Amino acid sequence: LGSLAWRRAKMVVHGPDGWRSANALAGEPLRFMPSEWCKDSRLELIFAEPQDEARLKADMAACRL
């Protein structure tokens, strides 16, 4: 995510430490906290301009464990 020029990032993800969430504005580090939501992983990125959807999907797929 550090290579993208997002204005806001919101997410809930399931990983080795359980369910975690993060919410940050541009320039802020992502600080993950325990999350009560535990149904599905979600990522929302808000940009100032439209993005190349295919590139975003490919970049996300490359990040999967």
Side-chain angles (χ1 to χ4, degrees):
L1 293 176
S3 67
L4 300 173
W6 46 267
R7 296 181 76 184
R8 184 170 181 188
K10 300 189 296 184
M11 64 196 73
V12 176
V13 295
H14 187 254
D17 296 328
W19 289 96
R20 312 287 283 175
S21 66
N23 189 345
L25 297 175
E28 294 180 349
L30 293 171
R31 292 190 179 101
F32 287 89
M33 302 172 18
S35 176
E36 293 182 16
W37 182 263
C38 56
K39 294 184 181 182
D40 60 354
S41 294
R42 299 171 179 228
L43 170 63
E44 178 180 348
L45 298 173
I46 299 172
F47 295 93
E49 299 177 9
Q51 301 295 300
D52 181 335
E53 182 179 350
R55 180 174 176 226
L56 288 173
K57 286 181 178 181
D59 288 348
M60 289 301 299
C63 292
R64 295 184 69 178
L65 299 175

